[in-house]
Amino acid sequence: MRHTNVDSNSQLRSGKKFTWEELTHHNKADDAYVAVRGNVYDITNFIKRHPGGEDILLFAAGRDATQAFETYHELGKPDLVLKKYFIGTLISNELPIFLEPNEFHRTVKKRVEEYFQINQIDPKNRITIWIRYAIIFAALIGSYNAQFFIPYIVERTWLQVIFAMVLGFASAQIGLNPLHDASHFSVTNDPLVWKILNATHDFFNGASHLVWMYQHSLGHHIYTNIEGADPDIVTGEPDIRRIKPSQRWYSRYINQQTFVPFLYGLLAFKVRILDIIIVYIIGTNDKIRINPLNTWHTSIFWGGKIFFVLFRIIIPLTIVPAWKVATLFVITDLVTSYWLALTFQANHVVNEVEWPLPDENGLIQRDWAEMQVVTTQDYAHDSYFWTSIVGSLNYQTVHHLFPQISQHRYGEIAPIVKETCKEFGIPFYYKETFWEAFGSHIEHLRLMGLPPLPKDDTKLE
């Protein structure tokens, strides 16, 4: 298949020709290639000097990094830096590819960049970031200590249950705030800060930030709602739920909206187990390949697992009976899982948004930024309450266009995004409340549970 993700302004059309399979072998710190707009670059000697730190280049090595590159850089500006590392061209593609940035893409990006420049605002920093982090970690440590180290509470199971729920909510907030911010490099410009914040997910939630980076930043954010490329919508055959028309229909999907949401409570448990399978057994999260781990990532991966077991199981077992440890653990996990799963589903797994598919050449016939808008649903922009407790996922469209900007700035740039969408005739999907947005997910489940039309009889069973 001919690679069409090519920059028409590029004069780099010589050197070796690489297939995507050949590119995958160059995915280590001492042998790192990336492809951007059809050009292949040897960035091995640049990794240590990258202003954004080495992690993102280690994750991107061995693959087409076009959309990630264009998302986190000013369009066209870094080309002079890349030029010196050019070694050849990519002639085939592993995953769907996109058209060059169109006028909408360039305009919305320019307007947002100008907003921060004109107003002399740091898009990656704000005092409210650190206040929220302080509240989250205080709630997490405080609720944990209350459950197991305050005698008055330890003697009263009902109070322990309350604090177990607080711990679950605080754990979810780690995923929605420090982890999410650091995985998009949207809090400060310091790679060390990102490493530390990412690691909090491993240690306090027992889940790998590394796996999250591949699934979320290199998978979901690039290939939103694209079947076979977005790990967030991967389904088995058969699966516990039907969310895509391409899935085979089974009679058990009828009224799935009445029972599937309850299964979301297993999310945390599922993720911790899948981490090990993905990294050490299959080496891929759906179609997103996992590159070899360096010493830091290996240490955080296993160090986080060990600390989590000590923190949440071993230490409590020395204080309260096993049945109580198990009960409180499950309650905490259920709260964490439900909160994360329900807030995630309301943005993309809804009937209102689009589910794009590539053409026969693997090309998505839309500009990437435009696709982000039409595959995403926002809600409750005017609610500080919802913005605070869902990690600004109510500004998901803004976030998908500008993940490198702090979520604490989304309210400032949302009007720019909405106005630009209106100007270019691009639908901006929005619900007034969280409950309306979540309701659209429930309705999507209901519709996907209905028997397909007779002409689609290949999917009946």
Side-chain angles (χ1 to χ4, degrees):
M1 187 184 300
R2 183 73 182 172
H3 190 282
T4 53
N5 200 358
V6 174
D7 183 351
S8 62
N9 296 318
S10 175
Q11 55 270 60
L12 305 174
R13 285 290 157 242
S14 59
K16 180 179 177 179
K17 296 186 184 300
F18 292 85
T19 64
W20 73 261
E21 292 90 347
E22 291 173 309
L23 184 64
T24 65
H25 297 298
H26 304 277
N27 66 344
K28 299 174 285 295
D30 60 354
D31 180 19
Y33 295 0
V34 296
V36 177
R37 289 288 167 196
N39 295 321
V40 178
Y41 303 93
D42 181 350
I43 60 170
T44 308
N45 295 325
F46 180 61
I47 289 177
K48 294 291 185 183
R49 297 185 287 114
H50 182 228
E54 61 183 45
D55 276 2
I56 185 58
L57 296 187
L58 292 176
F59 298 150
R63 70 190 81 229
D64 186 336
T66 299
Q67 293 344 117
F69 179 81
E70 292 180 349
T71 298
Y72 289 97
H73 298 89
E74 185 177 336
L75 292 177
K77 189 173 182 179
D79 289 350
L80 292 177
V81 176
L82 277 178
K83 188 175 181 180
K84 67 179 76 172
Y85 301 105
F86 173 79
I87 57 171
T89 56
L90 191 64
I91 60 172
S92 62
N93 49 279
E94 175 183 16
L95 294 169
I97 51 181
F98 298 86
L99 300 170
E100 289 185 55
N102 65 7
E103 191 61 26
F104 164 75
H105 191 163
R106 295 181 179 279
T107 299
V108 71
K109 195 156 188 173
K110 181 181 179 182
R111 288 174 180 175
V112 169
E113 288 169 353
E114 287 177 345
Y115 168 81
F116 289 108
Q117 292 168 359
I118 292 171
N119 293 284
Q120 297 183 323
I121 295 172
D122 184 349
K124 295 178 181 287
N125 217 337
R126 195 174 190 177
I127 188 62
T128 53
I129 298 173
W130 308 104
I131 292 174
R132 188 181 295 176
Y133 288 175
I135 293 171
I136 291 169
F137 287 110
L140 185 142
I141 300 301
S143 60
Y144 176 81
N145 286 335
Q147 288 179 74
F148 304 114
F149 296 104
I150 298 178
Y152 181 85
I153 295 173
V154 172
E155 295 167 2
R156 293 163 174 80
T157 302
W158 66 273
L159 283 176
Q160 287 181 298
V161 168
I162 291 174
F163 282 104
M165 295 172 68
V166 174
L167 178 60
F169 187 72
S171 299
Q173 294 304 314
I174 284 179
L176 294 169
N177 289 274
L179 168 70
H180 201 196
D181 294 346
S183 66
H184 289 297
F185 326 107
S186 66
V187 51
T188 80
N189 290 288
D190 189 342
L192 179 59
V193 172
W194 304 335
K195 283 178 178 287
I196 293 171
L197 292 176
N198 271 323
T200 62
H201 186 55
D202 292 77
F203 284 83
F204 292 114
N205 286 336
S208 171
H209 82 275
L210 180 85
V211 173
W212 165 263
M213 283 289 299
Y214 282 102
Q215 173 173 334
H216 187 71
S217 300
L218 290 177
H220 169 67
H221 261 260
I222 305 300
Y223 307 105
T224 312
N225 276 17
I226 299 176
E227 184 176 6
D230 181 354
D232 279 9
I233 61 168
V234 63
T235 51
E237 181 54 48
D239 201 77
I240 61 170
R241 64 176 186 166
R242 185 172 188 255
I243 59 171
K244 301 170 293 188
S246 59
Q247 288 178 254
R248 182 175 293 276
W249 180 85
Y250 297 90
S251 59
R252 65 171 176 269
Y253 292 138
I254 296 175
N255 292 322
Q256 63 174 341
Q257 76 278 6
T258 63
F259 61 86
V260 163
F262 292 102
L263 300 177
Y264 295 162
L266 299 174
L267 175 66
F269 175 78
K270 168 190 168 186
V271 166
R272 295 188 197 110
I273 300 301
L274 281 179
D275 280 350
I276 298 172
I277 296 173
I278 288 170
V279 173
Y280 289 97
I281 299 177
I282 61 176
T284 182
N285 191 339
D286 192 23
K287 298 295 180 63
I288 308 300
R289 291 173 287 101
I290 308 296
N291 287 344
L293 277 63
N294 61 18
T295 302
W296 167 263
H297 294 136
T298 301
S299 300
I300 296 300
F301 185 93
W302 289 110
K305 301 287 186 194
I306 293 169
F307 177 86
F308 180 80
V309 171
L310 289 170
F311 178 67
R312 291 284 299 278
I313 299 175
I314 304 300
I315 293 175
L317 279 173
T318 66
I319 302 168
V320 299
W323 70 266
K324 187 174 283 191
V325 172
T327 300
L328 296 175
F329 186 98
V330 169
I331 290 171
T332 296
D333 255 26
L334 286 174
V335 173
T336 301
S337 299
Y338 281 128
W339 192 251
L340 290 175
L342 297 182
T343 52
F344 290 160
Q345 302 303 309
N347 291 126
H348 299 291
V349 188
V350 295
N351 209 47
E352 289 82 351
V353 304
E354 295 187 19
W355 299 71
L357 291 171
D359 64 17
E360 63 278 6
N361 294 314
L363 178 67
I364 298 292
Q365 294 288 346
R366 269 189 186 274
D367 162 73
W368 177 83
E370 186 176 329
M371 188 200 76
Q372 295 303 314
V373 177
V374 300
T375 55
T376 308
Q377 176 175 262
D378 280 17
Y379 58 87
H381 281 186
D382 297 329
S383 173
Y384 177 78
F385 172 77
W386 283 105
T387 299
S388 299
I389 65 174
V390 301
S392 301
L393 290 184
N394 53 327
Y395 287 95
Q396 187 79 326
T397 304
V398 181
H399 170 61
H400 268 251
L401 291 174
F402 299 99
Q404 76 280 19
I405 293 175
S406 170
Q407 60 171 284
H408 293 252
R409 298 291 184 188
Y410 290 164
E412 300 171 45
I413 63 175
I416 299 173
V417 173
K418 293 170 78 171
E419 183 59 35
T420 308
C421 287
K422 182 178 180 181
E423 178 181 332
F424 283 84
I426 300 171
F428 188 99
Y429 299 114
Y430 181 80
K431 296 287 194 250
E432 291 294 333
T433 69
F434 166 78
W435 299 112
E436 287 181 65
F438 178 63
S440 63
H441 170 63
I442 298 299
E443 176 63 7
H444 182 72
L445 289 177
R446 186 188 72 81
L447 292 173
M448 286 292 101
L450 296 176
L453 296 175
K455 65 179 181 180
D456 197 16
D457 56 3
T458 60
K459 295 171 186 172
L460 286 172
E461 187 163 322

